[in-house]
């Protein structure tokens, strides 16, 4: 009789512990990556230097006819 009571108690405690709390859902957090702004100042000097050199070296052709 003791074995029967012990097995019934173990069965009821085991099933109630297994069902307690419901399912566990683990969500992974997305890693936030800082992006460079689109208007980066790194390429601007590279574009302006040839333009300034061309204006300085080519000069203006103000020849009178």
């Amino acid at each position: 009789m003791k074995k029967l009571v012990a097995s019934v108690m173990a069965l009821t405690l085991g099933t109630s512990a297994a069902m307690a709390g419901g399912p566990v859902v683990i969500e992974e957090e997305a890693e936030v990556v800082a992006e460079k702004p689109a208007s980066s100042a790194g390429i601007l000097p590279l574009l302006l230097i040839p333009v300034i050199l061309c204006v300085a070296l080519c000069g203006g052709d103000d020849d009178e006819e």
Side-chain angles (χ1 to χ4, degrees), residues 1 3 17 19 22 25-26 28 30 32 37 40 47-48 51-53 56 63:
M1 185 73 171
K3 289 184 181 181
M19 295 298 193
V25 178
I26 300 173
E28 294 182 15
V32 178
S40 176
L47 294 175
L48 287 178
V51 171
I52 292 171
L53 286 176
D63 296 335

Side-chain angles (χ1 to χ4, degrees), residues 10-11 15 23 28 32-34 46 55 63-64:
L11 182 64
T15 56
E28 294 182 15
V32 178
V33 178
L46 296 176
V55 168
D63 296 335
E64 292 183 23

Side-chain angles (χ1 to χ4, degrees), residues 12-65:
T12 57
L13 290 177
T15 56
S16 64
M19 295 298 193
V24 177
V25 178
I26 300 173
E27 296 181 14
E28 294 182 15
E29 294 183 18
E31 184 176 327
V32 178
V33 178
E35 295 182 14
K36 256 184 137 176
S39 61
S40 176
I43 197 165
L44 187 60
L46 296 176
L47 294 175
L48 287 178
I49 290 172
V51 171
I52 292 171
L53 286 176
C54 182
V55 168
L57 297 177
C58 295
D61 291 334
D62 292 336
D63 296 335
E64 292 183 23
E65 293 182 14

